[in-house]
Amino acid sequence: MEKENRSANFYDVIRERRSARSYDPSIKITEEEIKELLEEAMLAPSRTNLNPWRFMVFTNPAEKAKLLPIAFGQQQVVDASAVIVVLGDMEAYTAANDDHINQRAVDAGFMTNEIKDILSNSVKGYYESASEQSKKESQMLDGGLVAMQLMLAAKARGYDTVPMLGYSVEQFRKEFNVPENLVNILMIAVGKANGPAYPTVRRGVDEVIYWNGTWITANN
């Protein structure tokens, strides 16, 4: 894909993105472009900017083949150009990680050392008392944000995607020796669809809006 696809119209991107489940296996995506896609995806927000996302990227046919039984035989994991598994690092919720990230902001002139120290102390105070459940919920939220941005970035370059929750997390973790501190969020196939994805419908916007805290049961 040419880099000028980065300037694709945003409104076309969000309307044309569909979950594609049939891919052209002859299409390859370079390592450089995958890294660019992930850099764009990582512009998504995360809680207290701790960037807890981690990614396992599969492009090698032999490695993708290992995903086939794990994904219950879904052929897209073999045919897609890449499969990206989004994970969250539970060890990201530390003042040390916050300090590491914010030091870069200091070095770039975006904040002062005083502000960095205030933020690190705040993060330390919050996450030292936060439950594991609360941290996992944060991982799901942050992982969902980065995953959606990844799919939109891919579409802007002319690629198709499908988010996948239908795979055995237990088998995946065992097959690829996933460290205990990483939690699985979802799997995304990326490539060029063989044809148009199935069109879908959504609820009307008036069916899902409740204005100013008023719940109208007629909307349900």
Side-chain angles (χ1 to χ4, degrees):
M1 289 295 142
E2 296 295 330
K3 289 188 177 181
E4 51 262 29
N5 278 336
R6 293 179 186 178
S7 62
N9 183 282
F10 173 74
Y11 298 99
D12 291 338
V13 169
I14 61 173
R15 284 172 170 79
E16 294 173 4
R17 185 213 61 80
R18 294 286 184 270
S19 293
R21 292 176 172 81
S22 179
Y23 289 84
D24 182 345
S26 70
I27 301 297
K28 307 300 179 185
I29 303 179
T30 66
E31 181 177 316
E32 178 186 4
E33 191 165 18
I34 290 172
K35 290 170 72 173
E36 289 176 354
L37 279 171
L38 291 175
E39 286 177 349
E40 292 159 6
M42 290 169 58
L43 295 174
S46 62
R47 191 170 187 177
T48 56
N49 195 35
L50 289 179
N51 298 202
W53 320 290
R54 304 294 181 265
F55 307 96
M56 292 184 70
V57 181
F58 297 85
T59 56
N60 182 285
E63 295 304 309
K64 288 193 293 178
K66 294 179 183 178
L67 293 173
L68 191 60
I70 293 172
F72 311 124
Q74 297 182 79
Q75 188 65 26
Q76 63 261 31
V77 298
V78 174
D79 292 342
S81 306
V83 176
I84 299 174
V85 180
V86 183
L87 306 114
D89 187 355
M90 295 294 284
E91 293 180 354
Y93 298 124
T94 63
N97 182 48
D98 179 75
D99 189 74
H100 174 73
I101 293 170
N102 286 331
Q103 183 59 52
R104 297 184 182 185
V106 172
D107 295 341
F110 298 154
M111 70 170 63
T112 65
N113 273 304
E114 290 75 18
I115 295 296
K116 176 180 73 67
D117 292 341
I118 290 171
L119 290 174
S120 292
N121 288 333
S122 176
V123 166
K124 180 180 179 181
Y126 177 79
Y127 286 111
E128 281 186 348
S129 61
S131 67
E132 290 300 294
Q133 180 61 29
S134 175
K135 292 177 183 178
K136 286 183 178 179
E137 289 172 357
S138 292
Q139 292 285 5
M140 295 301 117
L141 173 60
D142 291 344
L145 290 169
V146 79
M148 188 70 250
Q149 190 134 314
L150 170 60
M151 290 187 285
L152 292 176
K155 190 61 183 176
R157 291 167 176 264
Y159 292 119
D160 300 290
T161 58
V162 59
M164 301 171 60
L165 292 174
Y167 72 100
S168 171
V169 171
E170 182 179 353
Q171 290 181 37
F172 178 85
R173 296 181 68 85
K174 181 177 180 180
E175 177 67 35
F176 298 105
N177 300 310
V178 180
E180 286 296 318
N181 57 295
L182 300 182
V183 297
N184 285 68
I185 298 172
L186 81 167
M187 180 184 291
I188 302 173
V190 184
K192 289 288 288 185
N194 269 328
Y198 290 113
T200 57
V201 296
R202 298 290 190 270
R203 281 180 174 267
V205 68
D206 288 332
E207 296 180 84
V208 297
I209 296 178
Y210 300 93
W211 293 101
N212 301 313
T214 300
W215 293 89
I216 303 173
T217 56
N219 282 357
N220 293 328

